[in-house]
Structures are given as C-alpha cells and as structure tokens.
Amino acid sequence: MHILIIGAAGMIGQKLATALVANENVGGHPIDRLTLADIVPPPTIAGPVSQQSLAVDLSQPGTADTLLADHPDLIFHLAAVVSGEAEADFDKGYRINLDGTRHLLEAIRRAGRQQPYCPRLVFTSSIAVFGEPLPPAIPDDQIHTPLTSYGTQKAICELLLADYSRRGFLDGVGIRLPTITVRPGKPNKAASGFFSGILREPLNGQEAILPVDDNVRHWFASPRAAIGFLLHAAEIDTGPLGQRRNLTMPGLSATVADEIAALERIAGPRATALIRRQPDETIARMVAGWPQNFDARRASELGFTADIGFDDIVRAHVEDELNGVLPF
Amino acid sequence: MHILIIGAAGMIGQKLATALVANENVGGHPIDRLTLADIVPPPTIAGPVSQQSLAVDLSQPGTADTLLADHPDLIFHLAAVVSGEAEADFDKGYRINLDGTRHLLEAIRRAGRQQPYCPRLVFTSSIAVFGEPLPPAIPDDQIHTPLTSYGTQKAICELLLADYSRRGFLDGVGIRLPTITVRPGKPNKAASGFFSGILREPLNGQEAILPVDDNVRHWFASPRAAIGFLLHAAEIDTGPLGQRRNLTMPGLSATVADEIAALERIAGPRATALIRRQPDETIARMVAGWPQNFDARRASELGFTADIGFDDIVRAHVEDELNGVLPF
C-alpha cells in the first residue's frame, strides 16, 4: 500500500513514519511506498520502505491534487498551525487549519471522479474543540464550544470529515489527542509546555519552571500512545463508527503531583529538586479552564488504549529520547 | 440605522422587511435605510423607510465587500440553499451555505480595519445541526452531529459566528429555527412539507396528502414567531450569551393530530375531510429521526417566545395569508 503523511516533519509525523517503516505493514497490508509531506522537507527514515520527501504548502490550491495524483491508500493528515499561532495570526490559522484541510478533502473527492477511490483518512483533532463549562469527566457526547480559533478550526474539520465520509468520498477517522507528554525537544512558550518541561528538563539535568499548583489535573498521552492511536485509527473497521467519525482518544488523567512522584521514583530526588515553583496567575487561570478528565468510552470500546501511568510515560521517554540514560 | 437583509427575497426575508418597515425602528433606533439583497432582486416594501433592492451572489468573492461598503449597523443573514438542494448538489450547498457566509464574515472583518466596526449579525441556523440519537427533549448543550450536508454547513457557520464574535469582529447571534408552519405559498417537495400542507391546502379548499401517522410529533414555529425571533435577536444584550452565540429557539412541540384538531376547531370538518392519509414509508422513516421536542431554556430566559398552540398558528395564517377568509 501507498501511505501519505501530511505534516510528516513534525514530532508526531516523524515518529509515525518511523513506526510505519519499522512495521513494514498496516493491518497486514505491506507498505510499498511512503510519501512524507510538510511545509519543510521531512527527513526520510532509514529502513526498507521506499520513501519520497516533499516540501509543499497544503493551503495553496493545487497542492493537494499533486499529493493525491497517485491515489494513496491511506492518508494521515497531521499538519496544523498550533493553538497559540492560530490565535496570534487569525488569517494563517484559518488558511492552514481550515482551508488546507478542505483542499485535501476536495482533492480526495476529485480523485474519486476519475476512478473508484475512498481512502482511509486519519485526521488529528484536539480536545480544544471543548470549552467551558466542562464536567469533571467529559463524555463522548459533550457539545463542542471551542474557546480558541484553533479549537474552532478543528471542530469545523471534524464536521467536514464526517460529512465527506457520510457521502462516501473518503473513509475518515478523526482522533482528538490528549496533551502529548513528555514532548521531546526544546522547551517552548506554549502555556501547556510545563506539563512536559517538569519531566523533560530534570531528566536532562536542567531546571524546570512549574507555574501552577501540584494539584492541577490534566489529560495526557505519551508520544508512544499517540502513535498507537494513529496506527489503530488506520486499521479499524469504521462500520461501528456509524456517522460519528470523530473520537476522543483515551488518555491518562493525572495531576502535576502524579508527574513529580513518577519522576522521583524513576530519577530520584535530585531530579525533582530541579523543579522550581514559580506561580503564574495568568497560566493558572488558563489551565483552570482546560479539560481534566474524559470518559472516552467509544474509543476504548474500539480498542484504542491509553498509557497506564506516569511511570511508564517517563520510562518510555528515557528509552526513546535519552538512550536509556538518566542524568543522576 | 442602516439594516442589511441578505436573503431578503425569501418568505422569511420579505416578512422581516415588512415588519421592519412597519415598525420603523429596532430597539428604539429609527431605521434610516434598508438594503434588501438576494440572488434575485427582492421586492421593496410599501412604507416610510428608504430601501434599496440588490440582486447579488454572496458566494462570489467581492460581493460581500460591496454590501458592507456603507457599514450597515445591523445585518440579517438568511440566505441559504435548502436541505434537499444542498444534499443533491454538494458543490452548490458548500458554495452558498459555507463560502457565502464566510465571505460575509470576512467582509465584516475587513470593514473593521478601516474604522471601528462591530455590527450585530443575526444568522439563521437550523435544528438540522442535530442528529440521531436524540433525547425526547433536546437540551441546549446537545452535541451537533448533523446527518445532512445542510446541517453540517449550518453547524460550521455557527462555529465561525462564535469565533468571529469572540474575536470582536462582529456581534453575532445565531438562531436555530423550528420547522416553519404554516409555510405560505405552493406545496413543495420537501419531506417536511406535509406539516404545512395539511393545514394550508384545506384552508384553500384543496386536498392535502398526509404521509405519516397522526401521532408523529415535531417542533414548530409560525412565520410570525420566526419574525419575532429575528427582531428580538437584533435587539438583545449579547453580554449574557457569553461565548455561546447560537441558540435553539423556543417552539411548539405538537403532533399531527394536534394540527388536525386545531384545523377542525377553526375551519370545521369539511376542512379536515380534505386531508387524505397516504402512508409513505420513506418519509415516515426520515421523519422518525427528526427532533420532536427541545428544552430551549437559554433562549426562553433571554426573552424569545414561542407560539402557544396550533389554534393561534392556524388563525395567524388565515389572517396573514387569506385576508381572514375561511373556505367553508
């Protein structure tokens, strides 16, 4: 089979490509070709699968048709401008996150006019589609009232994915990812960055700032779990989804204290001593409106599986990003 | 004030324009000008308000900028391709119902770059944003899972209206109208047409087909109530709406039997004898998935008011459309 990943240069895109090349198949179907596309040229992955790297701008008319020319069997659409940027640059957010996705959906529909074509499309949505007031455990039928332009754009794409699937133009699965933790790489300025930072930085022997109380609860998935979701979404029978093509992924509901306790168990008190508490009222207020827990029953029943606890998440990060080496 | 009605040639648009010209003000502000726009030239309304009639296609880039050139203070956006047409012509539905609305929102945002501008925008959405499974009384926080392209387009426009309002580009109020009954004019082929037809045709001395059981329940508003919703949405303080700019309008939950009983009370048994029962399994199946009742608490608390019963609805139709004359 031929697989297309749009957004392949990102952290999740690269890990997904790595997993696909390692597996050499999806649901028992051998992978012949992997097309990696992003706004910058995605690195190809060492391994036995034939790969093509393309630097393209999905928001430009015509780009999606080029990507669809060979009728890929499976498409992962991960490309997006993140929340903060979509809020800061209104035009760019709508151009990339809404128009880009719509160009892709339309190109798939057009490709289906030449020959029978209904590819599986796995789309990464976000829990940002939900907005206050939120119940303690958010059910699968929670109304979408996004409080950011990013969340609005994701909610719109979910609606489009469902309608294009209902009409038989594609076979869509939208997955709402929890906050990915531990996010590898450099610290960033995202308001949610500290959830990863308080683990990642100490595991690098560096100080981390904690701007909120230890009892703050949030909804997490490790990068490994996220890749598991994507691969499972590519393989499942979509019949049981009915018209509801978008799913809240299962996750781990945990507190900052849970994170710190896991870090101490695995890396010891010299690691946790690197966490510096520096309360930030602005961040605390933002975080107070975020989801804390979900009852992701539909996805669980469909076989999507979450991380067990933060010990596993921390250990996976040490294995995958630090070659198993602890700083102390 | 200057008021723009987009979709002014339609049944609701003409009744709204008539009400505005009769009132000569909105919320105490005198109406200086009324611009009536639609795909065909809307008839102007006899009365004291200065009017302009424009035949324009909102789905064409640039049209909305032309309409916004004079910075209207209040905009009613009623224009849409109806459910059946949006389902039959996928491109046209998205072009008119989604792109047309987006052009309007963007034109308002652009107009606000030249001078401070944040007009009230009243948008007509639909209960088609809801899909099965539905509870017996649908609450204000029911998830949107539309089962038609039309419902999808309306749900997307609701999300856009909320985001553009949140960002301060406009002051939006989206209202989800119940099924308008008695719809004046000729019978049409809409699956819901019989709800009006079994009253309208007998009141014209003509036979009407009833394709479903008498115990079928649905959610109704008269044209008069719909105009009341639009005028109220133009006047309300939007502060209490918070970020939730879209409201299910209150309506009348009633059965086909309720309709027929009201018709008999007002027009007698010779009218109801003109209803011919001709069960249609296809229509019955479609109608079975439609909403039957809502708990439209938010809108009611904000002062939107529904019809009391079908007697009033039938009487209003006889007054407004038949000059008070009954056929028998």
Side-chain angles (χ1 to χ4, degrees):
Chain A
M1 73 191 310
H2 174 199
I3 302 176
L4 167 64
I5 304 178
I6 303 170
M11 185 268 286
I12 293 290
Q14 282 285 294
K15 286 186 183 290
L16 173 63
T18 303
L20 290 169
V21 169
N23 293 354
E24 293 182 56
N25 83 89
V26 170
H29 302 283
I31 303 171
D32 306 316
R33 284 173 60 194
L34 187 54
T35 302
L36 306 175
D38 209 318
I39 193 86
V40 296
T44 54
I45 309 298
V49 175
S50 164
Q51 290 161 69
Q52 187 183 16
S53 169
L54 297 172
V56 294
D57 181 354
L58 188 65
S59 73
Q60 296 304 308
T63 295
D65 295 292
T66 310
L67 293 175
L68 269 291
D70 294 340
H71 294 74
D73 306 290
L74 167 62
I75 303 166
F76 293 96
H77 177 34
L78 319 173
V81 165
V82 298
S83 183
E85 192 171 4
E87 203 64 15
D89 189 338
F90 187 84
D91 286 310
K92 186 175 181 183
Y94 275 92
R95 191 171 67 243
I96 306 287
N97 295 350
L98 175 50
D99 295 331
T101 301
R102 211 166 151 211
H103 288 321
L104 175 62
L105 300 179
E106 277 294 286
I108 294 170
R109 186 164 80 98
R110 275 192 295 270
R113 287 184 191 152
Q114 300 143 25
Q115 60 183 74
Y117 183 52
C118 186
R120 173 69 50 91
L121 173 63
V122 179
F123 169 69
T124 44
S125 186
S126 165
I127 54 176
V129 300
F130 302 110
E132 298 179 84
L134 290 170
I138 300 167
D140 283 325
D141 59 359
Q142 176 72 24
I143 188 173
H144 297 179
T145 54
L147 295 176
T148 59
S149 292
Y150 176 80
T152 301
Q153 291 144 13
K154 289 293 188 185
I156 291 174
C157 291
E158 286 196 12
L159 285 161
L160 292 171
L161 188 82
D163 199 40
Y164 277 68
S165 295
R166 186 183 63 81
R167 300 287 289 242
F169 301 137
L170 50 85
D171 183 22
V173 182
I175 61 175
R176 292 176 209 119
L177 296 177
T179 295
I180 304 298
T181 306
V182 183
R183 219 185 153 77
K186 301 226 176 292
N188 65 22
K189 297 278 180 193
S192 64
F194 68 88
F195 287 123
S196 280
I198 59 169
L199 301 176
R200 183 185 57 225
E201 269 63 276
L203 288 169
N204 272 326
Q206 292 165 2
E207 187 183 83
I209 303 293
L210 175 58
V212 301
D213 281 352
D214 286 38
N215 61 3
V216 163
R217 181 172 287 280
H218 193 53
W219 182 244
F220 300 101
S222 67
R224 276 192 194 178
I227 302 308
F229 298 153
L230 287 162
L231 295 175
H232 192 62
E235 293 183 5
I236 56 167
D237 173 12
T238 49
L241 293 180
Q243 307 294 1
R244 299 207 175 176
R245 293 292 183 138
N246 299 284
L247 297 162
T248 296
M249 289 293 101
L252 176 65
S253 176
T255 63
V256 166
D258 294 331
E259 290 191 73
I260 296 173
L263 179 66
E264 179 144 331
R265 279 190 295 273
I266 287 157
R270 289 178 63 191
T272 50
L274 287 167
I275 298 170
R276 187 153 62 83
R277 285 170 175 78
Q278 188 179 296
D280 182 319
E281 268 309 307
T282 309
I283 293 181
R285 259 198 310 275
M286 286 177 67
V287 173
W290 292 355
Q292 301 187 356
N293 191 11
F294 287 83
D295 179 8
R297 206 170 298 183
R298 290 185 71 215
S300 297
E301 285 170 357
L302 287 158
F304 291 90
T305 52
D307 302 286
I308 305 291
F310 254 107
D311 288 45
D312 285 348
I313 292 180
V314 171
R315 272 195 213 98
H317 178 76
V318 172
E319 283 173 28
D320 293 351
E321 311 296 337
L322 304 171
N323 295 313
V325 181
L326 288 166
F328 306 107
Chain B
M1 73 192 309
H2 175 197
I3 302 175
L4 167 64
I5 304 176
I6 304 171
M11 184 269 285
I12 294 288
Q14 281 285 296
K15 286 186 183 291
L16 173 62
T18 303
L20 291 169
V21 169
N23 293 354
E24 293 182 58
N25 83 89
V26 169
H29 302 283
I31 303 171
D32 305 315
R33 282 172 62 195
L34 187 53
T35 302
L36 306 176
D38 209 318
I39 194 85
V40 295
T44 53
I45 308 297
V49 174
S50 162
Q51 290 161 70
Q52 187 183 16
S53 169
L54 297 172
V56 295
D57 181 353
L58 189 65
S59 73
Q60 295 305 308
T63 296
D65 295 292
T66 309
L67 293 176
L68 269 290
D70 294 340
H71 295 76
D73 306 289
L74 167 61
I75 303 166
F76 293 95
H77 178 33
L78 320 174
V81 164
V82 299
S83 183
E85 192 171 5
E87 203 64 14
D89 189 337
F90 187 83
D91 286 309
K92 185 174 182 184
Y94 275 92
R95 191 171 68 243
I96 307 286
N97 294 351
L98 175 50
D99 295 330
T101 302
R102 212 166 150 212
H103 288 321
L104 174 63
L105 301 179
E106 277 294 285
I108 294 171
R109 185 163 81 96
R110 275 193 294 272
R113 287 185 192 150
Q114 300 145 21
Q115 61 184 73
Y117 183 53
C118 186
R120 173 68 51 91
L121 173 63
V122 178
F123 169 69
T124 45
S125 186
S126 165
I127 55 176
V129 301
F130 303 110
E132 299 180 83
L134 290 171
I138 301 168
D140 283 324
D141 59 358
Q142 175 72 24
I143 189 174
H144 297 178
T145 54
L147 295 176
T148 59
S149 292
Y150 175 80
T152 301
Q153 291 145 12
K154 289 294 187 184
I156 291 174
C157 291
E158 286 196 12
L159 286 160
L160 292 170
L161 188 82
D163 199 39
Y164 277 69
S165 295
R166 186 184 64 80
R167 300 288 290 242
F169 301 137
L170 51 85
D171 184 21
V173 182
I175 62 175
R176 292 178 208 117
L177 296 177
T179 295
I180 304 297
T181 304
V182 182
R183 219 185 152 76
K186 300 224 175 293
N188 66 22
K189 296 279 181 192
S192 63
F194 68 87
F195 287 123
S196 281
I198 58 168
L199 300 176
R200 184 186 55 225
E201 268 65 275
L203 288 170
N204 272 324
Q206 292 166 0
E207 187 183 84
I209 304 292
L210 174 58
V212 302
D213 280 352
D214 286 37
N215 61 3
V216 163
R217 180 173 287 279
H218 194 52
W219 183 244
F220 300 100
S222 66
R224 275 191 194 178
I227 301 308
F229 299 154
L230 287 163
L231 295 175
H232 192 61
E235 292 182 3
I236 56 168
D237 173 13
T238 50
L241 291 180
Q243 307 294 1
R244 298 206 174 177
R245 293 292 184 139
N246 299 284
L247 297 163
T248 295
M249 289 294 100
L252 175 65
S253 176
T255 63
V256 166
D258 294 332
E259 289 191 73
I260 296 173
L263 179 66
E264 178 146 332
R265 279 191 294 273
I266 289 158
R270 288 177 65 190
T272 50
L274 288 166
I275 300 172
R276 187 152 63 83
R277 284 169 175 77
Q278 188 178 297
D280 183 319
E281 267 310 306
T282 310
I283 293 181
R285 260 197 310 276
M286 288 177 66
V287 173
W290 292 355
Q292 301 187 354
N293 192 10
F294 287 82
D295 179 9
R297 205 170 300 183
R298 289 184 72 216
S300 298
E301 286 169 358
L302 287 159
F304 291 91
T305 52
D307 300 286
I308 304 293
F310 255 108
D311 288 44
D312 285 347
I313 292 181
V314 171
R315 271 195 213 100
H317 179 76
V318 173
E319 282 173 28
D320 293 351
E321 310 295 336
L322 303 171
N323 295 314
V325 181
L326 288 166
F328 305 107

